[in-house]
Amino acid sequence: MLEHGGNLREAARRFGRDLSSWVDLSAGLNPHGYAPPAMAPSTWHRLPETDPQLLQLASRYYGAPSLIAVAGTQAAIQALPQLRPPSRVVVAAPSYAEHAHHWGLHGHATREVPYDGLQAALPRCDVMVLCNPNNPTGATVPSERLLMWAEHLATRAGWLVVDEAFADTDPALSVAARSGQPGLIVLRSIGKFFGLAGARVGFVAAQPALLDKLADMLGPWTISGPAQQVAMAALADTAWQGHTLQQLTAAGLRLRLLLAQHGIASQGTALFQWWPEPQAQAFWRHMAERGIWVRLFEQGARGIRLGLPPDESAWRLLDAALNEWKR
């Protein structure tokens, strides 16, 4: 399996530090996630058929005309390559590594192309896959351009797959509302903005015929009953969503300015910052030795990604560690 952030047990084992003593900034999640509601006993007892209200709430929140729920967008990332015959696939790079990995596993001619080369690559591919905003660099593509790309690909039964896992903090980037047009597939998740990565709930927005094929492949009971209840509560809570968006926007700016104070020119989203650190492995080790777990990228997007500290103590710890690194 590919390496991901959030692997805190690996940090504890590798550096001999108790699990509870770490500040985990490696996964880019909202550190103040949505508080799960109390569960009715029937939630645990019944088979988890998909509640129609879950899809209604998700459709309203994302603005998508048609979607299905999946066990995290990872489930869709693994399944979508199996729904096409061998195709020419371009995956934006650097990017979330699971995309290129799974398209390559299923007989597709897959190549990775930098974001600034995607337009030129469009005529020579059948499928284009990108994250918007990008994970880990935070790079973005205007929604108008994405819609033109999707239209172009659809003329030859192609797909544009847009992973919007980090789009909640910048809704103007989203093309979910246009996912009813041919060739456009949008992936969304409650893991990042809502801080509910453990619930494993994501959504795929696309034309109904494609969604039916995907649902058939994934089979019944893809999401547990408790996870559905948590997701419905979070998607319905508009007051929490508005307050959280303000909080995360402020915290993201604070993190970028803190890094700038220490001579680090970073880029990213409200949930994380990334930069091409020349001494990435040394920085990663420096932080780990002080109980701060950051995301090290040694291939593709060579550099460091930092998520948001959860409290003032963690902010102070990060500031002190950055001071020591600069010296």
Coordinates of all heavy atoms in Angstrom, one line a residue, residues 9-87:
R9 N 0.7 5.8 14.5 CA 1.3 4.6 15.2 C 2.7 4.4 14.7 O 3.6 3.9 15.4 CB 0.4 3.4 15.1 CG -0.8 3.5 16.0 CD -1.6 2.2 16.0 NE -2.6 2.2 17.0 CZ -3.8 2.9 16.9 NH1 -4.1 3.5 15.7 NH2 -4.7 2.9 17.9
E10 N 2.9 4.6 13.4 CA 4.2 4.4 12.8 C 5.2 5.4 13.4 O 6.4 5.1 13.7 CB 4.2 4.6 11.3 CG 5.5 4.8 10.5 CD 6.4 3.5 10.6 OE1 5.9 2.4 11.0 OE2 7.6 3.7 10.3
A11 N 4.7 6.7 13.6 CA 5.6 7.7 14.2 C 6.0 7.3 15.7 O 7.2 7.4 16.0 CB 4.8 9.0 14.3
A12 N 5.0 6.8 16.4 CA 5.3 6.4 17.8 C 6.3 5.2 17.8 O 7.2 5.2 18.7 CB 4.0 6.0 18.5
R13 N 6.1 4.3 16.9 CA 7.0 3.1 16.9 C 8.4 3.6 16.5 O 9.4 3.2 17.1 CB 6.5 2.1 15.9 CG 7.3 0.8 15.8 CD 7.0 0.0 14.6 NE 7.4 0.7 13.4 CZ 8.6 0.8 12.9 NH1 9.7 0.3 13.6 NH2 8.9 1.5 11.8
R14 N 8.5 4.4 15.5 CA 9.8 4.7 14.9 C 10.6 5.6 15.8 O 11.8 5.5 15.8 CB 9.5 5.4 13.5 CG 10.8 5.7 12.7 CD 10.4 6.0 11.3 NE 11.6 6.1 10.5 CZ 11.6 6.2 9.1 NH1 10.4 6.2 8.5 NH2 12.7 6.3 8.4
F15 N 10.0 6.5 16.5 CA 10.7 7.5 17.3 C 10.6 7.2 18.8 O 11.1 8.0 19.6 CB 10.2 8.9 17.0 CG 10.7 9.4 15.6 CD1 9.8 9.2 14.5 CD2 11.9 9.9 15.4 CE1 10.2 9.6 13.3 CE2 12.3 10.3 14.2 CZ 11.5 10.1 13.1
G16 N 9.9 6.1 19.2 CA 9.9 5.8 20.6 C 9.2 6.8 21.5 O 9.6 7.0 22.7
R17 N 8.1 7.4 21.0 CA 7.4 8.4 21.8 C 6.0 7.9 21.9 O 5.4 7.4 20.9 CB 7.5 9.7 21.1 CG 6.7 10.9 21.8 CD 6.7 12.1 20.9 NE 8.0 12.7 20.9 CZ 8.4 13.7 21.7 NH1 7.6 14.1 22.6 NH2 9.6 14.2 21.6
D18 N 5.4 8.1 23.1 CA 4.0 7.6 23.4 C 3.1 8.2 22.4 O 3.2 9.4 22.1 CB 3.6 7.9 24.8 CG 2.3 7.3 25.1 OD1 2.2 6.1 25.4 OD2 1.3 8.1 25.2
L19 N 2.1 7.4 22.0 CA 1.1 7.9 21.0 C 0.4 9.1 21.4 O 0.1 10.0 20.5 CB 0.1 6.7 20.7 CG -0.8 6.8 19.5 CD1 0.0 6.7 18.2 CD2 -1.9 5.7 19.5
S20 N 0.1 9.3 22.7 CA -0.7 10.4 23.1 C 0.1 11.7 23.2 O -0.5 12.8 23.4 CB -1.3 10.1 24.5 OG -0.2 9.9 25.5
S21 N 1.4 11.6 23.1 CA 2.3 12.8 23.2 C 2.5 13.6 21.9 O 3.2 14.6 21.9 CB 3.6 12.4 23.9 OG 4.4 11.6 22.9
W22 N 2.0 13.1 20.8 CA 2.2 13.7 19.5 C 1.3 14.8 19.1 O 0.1 14.7 19.5 CB 2.2 12.6 18.4 CG 3.4 11.7 18.4 CD1 3.5 10.5 19.1 CD2 4.6 11.8 17.6 NE1 4.7 9.9 18.9 CE2 5.4 10.7 18.0 CE3 5.0 12.7 16.7 CZ2 6.6 10.5 17.4 CZ3 6.3 12.5 16.2 CH2 7.1 11.4 16.5
V23 N 1.7 15.7 18.4 CA 0.9 16.7 17.7 C 0.9 16.2 16.2 O 1.9 16.3 15.5 CB 1.4 18.1 17.8 CG1 0.6 19.0 16.9 CG2 1.3 18.6 19.2
D24 N -0.3 15.7 15.7 CA -0.3 15.2 14.4 C -0.8 16.2 13.4 O -2.0 16.6 13.4 CB -1.3 14.0 14.4 CG -1.3 13.2 13.1 OD1 -0.5 13.6 12.2 OD2 -2.1 12.3 12.9
L25 N 0.1 16.7 12.6 CA -0.2 17.7 11.5 C -0.1 17.0 10.1 O 0.0 17.7 9.1 CB 0.7 18.9 11.6 CG 0.9 19.5 13.0 CD1 1.8 20.7 12.9 CD2 -0.5 20.0 13.5
S26 N -0.1 15.7 10.1 CA 0.3 15.0 8.8 C -0.8 14.8 7.8 O -0.6 14.5 6.7 CB 0.9 13.6 9.2 OG -0.1 12.8 9.7
A27 N -2.1 14.9 8.3 CA -3.2 14.5 7.4 C -4.0 15.6 6.8 O -4.9 15.4 5.9 CB -4.1 13.5 8.1
G28 N -3.8 16.9 7.2 CA -4.6 18.0 6.6 C -6.1 18.0 7.0 O -6.9 18.4 6.2
L29 N -6.4 17.4 8.2 CA -7.8 17.4 8.6 C -8.2 18.6 9.5 O -7.3 19.1 10.2 CB -8.1 16.1 9.4 CG -7.7 14.8 8.7 CD1 -8.0 13.6 9.7 CD2 -8.4 14.6 7.4
N30 N -9.4 19.0 9.5 CA -9.9 19.9 10.5 C -9.6 19.4 11.9 O -10.2 18.3 12.2 CB -11.4 20.1 10.3 CG -12.0 21.1 11.3 OD1 -11.4 21.6 12.2 ND2 -13.3 21.4 11.1
P31 N -8.8 20.0 12.7 CA -8.5 19.5 14.0 C -9.7 19.6 15.0 O -9.6 19.0 16.1 CB -7.3 20.3 14.5 CG -7.5 21.6 13.8 CD -8.1 21.3 12.4
H32 N -10.7 20.3 14.6 CA -11.9 20.4 15.5 C -13.1 19.9 14.7 O -14.0 20.7 14.3 CB -12.1 21.9 15.9 CG -10.9 22.5 16.6 ND1 -10.5 22.1 17.9 CD2 -10.0 23.4 16.2 CE1 -9.4 22.7 18.2 NE2 -9.1 23.5 17.2
G33 N -13.1 18.6 14.5 CA -14.1 18.0 13.6 C -15.5 18.0 14.2 O -15.7 18.3 15.4
Y34 N -16.5 17.7 13.4 CA -17.9 17.7 13.8 C -18.1 16.6 14.9 O -17.6 15.5 14.8 CB -18.8 17.3 12.6 CG -20.2 17.6 12.9 CD1 -20.8 18.9 12.9 CD2 -21.1 16.5 13.3 CE1 -22.1 19.1 13.1 CE2 -22.4 16.8 13.5 CZ -22.9 18.1 13.5 OH -24.2 18.3 13.7
A35 N -18.8 17.0 16.0 CA -19.1 16.1 17.1 C -20.2 15.1 16.7 O -21.3 15.6 16.5 CB -19.4 16.9 18.4
P36 N -19.9 13.8 16.7 CA -21.0 12.8 16.3 C -22.2 12.9 17.3 O -22.0 13.0 18.5 CB -20.3 11.5 16.4 CG -18.8 11.8 16.3 CD -18.7 13.1 17.0
P37 N -23.4 12.7 16.8 CA -24.6 12.7 17.7 C -24.7 11.3 18.3 O -24.0 10.3 17.9 CB -25.7 12.9 16.7 CG -25.2 12.3 15.4 CD -23.7 12.6 15.4
A38 N -25.6 11.2 19.3 CA -25.9 9.9 19.9 C -26.6 9.0 18.9 O -27.4 9.5 18.1 CB -26.7 10.2 21.2
M39 N -26.3 7.7 19.0 CA -26.9 6.8 18.1 C -28.0 6.0 18.7 O -27.9 5.5 19.8 CB -25.8 5.8 17.6 CG -24.6 6.4 17.0 SD -25.0 7.1 15.3 CE -23.5 8.1 15.0
A40 N -29.1 5.9 17.9 CA -30.2 5.0 18.3 C -29.7 3.6 18.2 O -28.9 3.2 17.3 CB -31.4 5.2 17.4
P41 N -30.2 2.7 19.1 CA -29.8 1.3 19.1 C -30.0 0.6 17.7 O -29.2 -0.2 17.3 CB -30.6 0.6 20.2 CG -30.9 1.7 21.1 CD -31.1 3.0 20.3
S42 N -31.1 1.0 17.0 CA -31.4 0.4 15.7 C -30.3 0.7 14.7 O -30.1 -0.1 13.7 CB -32.7 0.9 15.2 OG -32.7 2.3 15.0
T43 N -29.5 1.8 14.9 CA -28.5 2.1 14.0 C -27.4 1.0 13.9 O -26.8 0.7 12.9 CB -27.8 3.5 14.4 OG1 -28.8 4.5 14.4 CG2 -26.7 3.9 13.4
W44 N -27.2 0.4 15.1 CA -26.2 -0.7 15.2 C -26.8 -2.0 14.8 O -26.1 -2.9 14.4 CB -25.7 -0.8 16.6 CG -25.0 0.5 17.0 CD1 -25.5 1.5 17.8 CD2 -23.7 0.9 16.8 NE1 -24.6 2.5 18.0 CE2 -23.5 2.1 17.4 CE3 -22.6 0.3 16.1 CZ2 -22.2 2.8 17.3 CZ3 -21.4 1.0 16.0 CH2 -21.2 2.2 16.6
H45 N -28.1 -2.2 14.9 CA -28.7 -3.5 14.7 C -29.1 -3.8 13.3 O -29.0 -4.9 12.9 CB -30.0 -3.5 15.6 CG -30.7 -4.8 15.5 ND1 -30.2 -6.0 16.0 CD2 -32.0 -5.1 15.0 CE1 -31.1 -7.0 15.8 NE2 -32.2 -6.5 15.2
R46 N -29.5 -2.8 12.5 CA -30.1 -3.1 11.2 C -28.9 -3.1 10.2 O -27.9 -2.4 10.3 CB -31.1 -2.0 10.8 CG -32.3 -2.0 11.7 CD -33.3 -0.9 11.1 NE -33.7 -1.2 9.7 CZ -34.3 -0.3 8.9 NH1 -34.5 0.9 9.4 NH2 -34.6 -0.7 7.7
L47 N -29.2 -3.8 9.1 CA -28.2 -3.7 7.9 C -28.3 -2.2 7.4 O -29.3 -1.6 7.3 CB -28.6 -4.7 6.8 CG -28.3 -6.1 7.1 CD1 -29.0 -7.0 6.0 CD2 -26.8 -6.4 7.1
P48 N -27.1 -1.7 7.0 CA -27.0 -0.3 6.7 C -27.4 0.0 5.2 O -26.6 0.5 4.4 CB -25.6 0.0 6.9 CG -24.8 -1.2 6.6 CD -25.8 -2.3 7.1
E49 N -28.7 -0.2 4.9 CA -29.2 0.3 3.6 C -29.0 1.8 3.6 O -29.2 2.5 4.6 CB -30.6 -0.1 3.4 CG -31.6 0.4 4.4 CD -33.0 -0.2 4.2 OE1 -33.3 -0.5 3.1 OE2 -33.7 -0.3 5.2
T50 N -28.7 2.4 2.4 CA -28.5 3.8 2.3 C -29.8 4.6 2.6 O -30.8 4.3 2.0 CB -28.0 4.2 0.9 OG1 -26.8 3.5 0.6 CG2 -27.7 5.7 0.8
D51 N -29.7 5.5 3.5 CA -30.9 6.4 3.8 C -31.0 7.4 2.7 O -30.1 8.2 2.5 CB -30.6 7.0 5.2 CG -31.8 7.7 5.8 OD1 -32.6 8.3 5.0 OD2 -32.0 7.7 7.0
P52 N -32.2 7.5 2.1 CA -32.4 8.5 1.1 C -32.1 10.0 1.6 O -31.6 10.8 0.8 CB -33.9 8.4 0.7 CG -34.2 7.0 1.1 CD -33.4 6.7 2.3
Q53 N -32.3 10.2 2.9 CA -32.0 11.5 3.4 C -30.5 11.9 3.3 O -30.2 13.1 3.1 CB -32.5 11.7 4.8 CG -32.4 13.1 5.4 CD -32.9 13.2 6.8 OE1 -33.1 12.2 7.5 NE2 -33.0 14.4 7.3
L54 N -29.7 10.9 3.4 CA -28.2 11.1 3.3 C -27.9 11.7 1.9 O -27.2 12.7 1.8 CB -27.5 9.8 3.5 CG -25.9 9.9 3.2 CD1 -25.3 10.9 4.2 CD2 -25.3 8.5 3.4
L55 N -28.5 11.1 0.9 CA -28.2 11.6 -0.5 C -28.9 13.0 -0.7 O -28.3 13.9 -1.4 CB -28.7 10.6 -1.5 CG -28.1 9.2 -1.5 CD1 -28.6 8.4 -2.6 CD2 -26.6 9.3 -1.5
Q56 N -30.1 13.2 -0.1 CA -30.7 14.5 -0.3 C -29.9 15.6 0.4 O -29.7 16.7 -0.2 CB -32.1 14.5 0.4 CG -33.1 13.6 -0.4 CD -34.3 13.3 0.4 OE1 -34.5 13.8 1.5 NE2 -35.2 12.4 -0.1
L57 N -29.4 15.3 1.6 CA -28.5 16.3 2.3 C -27.2 16.6 1.6 O -26.8 17.7 1.5 CB -28.3 15.9 3.7 CG -29.5 15.9 4.7 CD1 -29.2 15.1 5.9 CD2 -29.8 17.3 5.0
A58 N -26.6 15.5 1.0 CA -25.4 15.7 0.3 C -25.6 16.5 -1.0 O -24.8 17.3 -1.3 CB -24.8 14.3 0.0
S59 N -26.7 16.2 -1.7 CA -27.0 16.9 -2.9 C -27.2 18.4 -2.6 O -26.7 19.2 -3.4 CB -28.3 16.3 -3.5 OG -28.5 16.9 -4.8
R60 N -27.8 18.7 -1.5 CA -28.0 20.1 -1.2 C -26.7 20.8 -0.8 O -26.4 21.9 -1.2 CB -29.0 20.2 0.0 CG -29.4 21.7 0.3 CD -30.3 21.7 1.6 NE -29.5 21.4 2.8 CZ -30.1 21.4 4.0 NH1 -31.4 21.6 4.1 NH2 -29.4 21.1 5.1
Y61 N -25.9 20.1 0.0 CA -24.6 20.7 0.4 C -23.7 20.9 -0.7 O -23.0 21.9 -0.8 CB -24.0 19.8 1.5 CG -22.7 20.3 2.0 CD1 -22.6 21.3 2.9 CD2 -21.5 19.7 1.5 CE1 -21.3 21.8 3.3 CE2 -20.2 20.1 2.0 CZ -20.2 21.2 2.9 OH -18.9 21.7 3.3
Y62 N -23.5 19.9 -1.6 CA -22.6 20.0 -2.7 C -23.2 20.6 -3.9 O -22.4 21.0 -4.9 CB -22.1 18.6 -3.0 CG -21.3 17.9 -1.9 CD1 -21.7 16.7 -1.4 CD2 -20.1 18.5 -1.4 CE1 -21.0 16.1 -0.3 CE2 -19.4 17.9 -0.4 CZ -19.9 16.7 0.2 OH -19.2 16.1 1.2
G63 N -24.5 20.8 -4.0 CA -25.1 21.3 -5.2 C -25.2 20.4 -6.4 O -25.4 20.8 -7.5
A64 N -25.0 19.1 -6.1 CA -24.9 18.1 -7.2 C -26.3 17.5 -7.5 O -27.0 17.1 -6.6 CB -23.9 17.0 -6.7
P65 N -26.6 17.4 -8.8 CA -27.9 16.9 -9.1 C -28.1 15.4 -8.9 O -29.2 15.0 -8.5 CB -28.1 17.2 -10.6 CG -26.7 17.4 -11.1 CD -25.9 17.9 -9.9
S66 N -27.0 14.6 -9.0 CA -27.1 13.2 -8.8 C -25.8 12.7 -8.2 O -24.7 13.1 -8.7 CB -27.3 12.4 -10.1 OG -28.5 12.8 -10.7
L67 N -25.9 11.9 -7.1 CA -24.7 11.4 -6.5 C -25.0 10.1 -5.8 O -26.2 9.8 -5.5 CB -24.1 12.4 -5.6 CG -24.9 13.2 -4.6 CD1 -25.4 12.3 -3.4 CD2 -24.1 14.4 -4.0
I68 N -24.0 9.4 -5.5 CA -24.1 8.2 -4.6 C -23.1 8.3 -3.5 O -22.1 9.0 -3.6 CB -23.9 6.9 -5.3 CG1 -22.5 6.8 -5.9 CG2 -24.9 6.6 -6.4 CD1 -22.1 5.4 -6.4
A69 N -23.4 7.6 -2.4 CA -22.5 7.6 -1.2 C -21.5 6.4 -1.3 O -21.9 5.3 -1.7 CB -23.2 7.6 0.1
V70 N -20.3 6.6 -1.0 CA -19.3 5.6 -1.0 C -18.5 5.6 0.3 O -18.5 6.5 1.0 CB -18.3 5.7 -2.2 CG1 -19.1 5.6 -3.5 CG2 -17.6 7.1 -2.2
A71 N -17.8 4.5 0.5 CA -17.0 4.3 1.7 C -15.7 5.1 1.6 O -14.6 4.5 1.5 CB -16.7 2.8 2.0
G72 N -15.8 6.4 1.6 CA -14.7 7.3 1.4 C -14.4 7.4 -0.1 O -14.7 6.4 -0.8
T73 N -13.9 8.5 -0.5 CA -13.6 8.6 -2.0 C -12.5 7.5 -2.4 O -12.4 7.3 -3.6 CB -13.1 10.0 -2.3 OG1 -12.0 10.4 -1.4 CG2 -14.2 11.0 -2.2
Q74 N -11.8 7.0 -1.5 CA -10.8 5.9 -1.8 C -11.5 4.8 -2.6 O -11.0 4.2 -3.5 CB -10.1 5.4 -0.6 CG -9.1 4.3 -0.9 CD -7.9 4.8 -1.7 OE1 -7.6 6.0 -1.7 NE2 -7.3 3.9 -2.4
A75 N -12.8 4.4 -2.1 CA -13.5 3.4 -2.8 C -13.8 3.7 -4.2 O -13.6 2.8 -5.1 CB -14.8 3.1 -2.0
A76 N -14.1 4.9 -4.5 CA -14.4 5.3 -5.9 C -13.1 5.4 -6.7 O -13.0 5.0 -7.9 CB -15.0 6.7 -6.0
I77 N -12.0 5.8 -6.1 CA -10.7 5.9 -6.8 C -10.3 4.5 -7.2 O -9.7 4.4 -8.3 CB -9.6 6.5 -5.8 CG1 -9.9 8.0 -5.6 CG2 -8.2 6.3 -6.4 CD1 -9.1 8.7 -4.5
Q78 N -10.5 3.5 -6.4 CA -10.2 2.2 -6.8 C -11.1 1.5 -7.8 O -10.7 0.7 -8.6 CB -10.1 1.3 -5.5 CG -9.0 1.7 -4.5 CD -9.0 0.8 -3.3 OE1 -8.4 1.3 -2.3 NE2 -9.6 -0.3 -3.3
A79 N -12.4 2.0 -7.8 CA -13.4 1.3 -8.6 C -13.5 1.9 -10.0 O -13.7 1.2 -11.0 CB -14.8 1.4 -8.0
L80 N -13.4 3.2 -10.1 CA -13.6 3.9 -11.4 C -12.7 3.4 -12.6 O -13.2 3.2 -13.7 CB -13.4 5.4 -11.3 CG -14.5 6.2 -10.6 CD1 -14.1 7.6 -10.3 CD2 -15.8 6.2 -11.4
P81 N -11.4 3.1 -12.4 CA -10.6 2.5 -13.5 C -11.2 1.2 -14.0 O -10.8 0.8 -15.1 CB -9.3 2.4 -12.8 CG -9.2 3.3 -11.7 CD -10.6 3.3 -11.2
Q82 N -12.0 0.5 -13.2 CA -12.5 -0.8 -13.7 C -13.8 -0.6 -14.5 O -14.3 -1.6 -15.0 CB -12.8 -1.7 -12.4 CG -11.6 -1.9 -11.6 CD -11.9 -2.7 -10.3 OE1 -12.3 -3.9 -10.4 NE2 -11.6 -2.1 -9.2
L83 N -14.3 0.6 -14.6 CA -15.5 0.8 -15.4 C -15.2 1.2 -16.8 O -16.2 1.5 -17.6 CB -16.4 1.9 -14.7 CG -16.9 1.5 -13.3 CD1 -17.7 2.7 -12.8 CD2 -17.8 0.3 -13.4
R84 N -14.0 1.2 -17.2 CA -13.6 1.6 -18.6 C -12.8 0.6 -19.3 O -12.0 -0.1 -18.6 CB -12.8 3.0 -18.6 CG -13.6 4.2 -18.3 CD -12.8 5.4 -18.6 NE -12.4 5.5 -20.0 CZ -13.1 6.2 -20.9 NH1 -14.2 6.9 -20.5 NH2 -12.7 6.3 -22.1
P85 N -12.8 0.4 -20.6 CA -11.8 -0.4 -21.3 C -10.5 0.4 -21.3 O -10.4 1.5 -20.9 CB -12.4 -0.4 -22.7 CG -13.2 0.8 -22.9 CD -13.8 1.1 -21.5
P86 N -9.4 -0.3 -21.6 CA -8.1 0.3 -21.6 C -8.1 1.7 -22.3 O -8.5 1.8 -23.4 CB -7.2 -0.7 -22.3 CG -7.8 -2.0 -22.0 CD -9.3 -1.7 -22.1
S87 N -7.7 2.7 -21.6 CA -7.8 4.1 -22.0 C -6.4 4.8 -21.9 O -5.6 4.4 -21.1 CB -8.9 4.8 -21.3 OG -10.1 4.2 -21.4

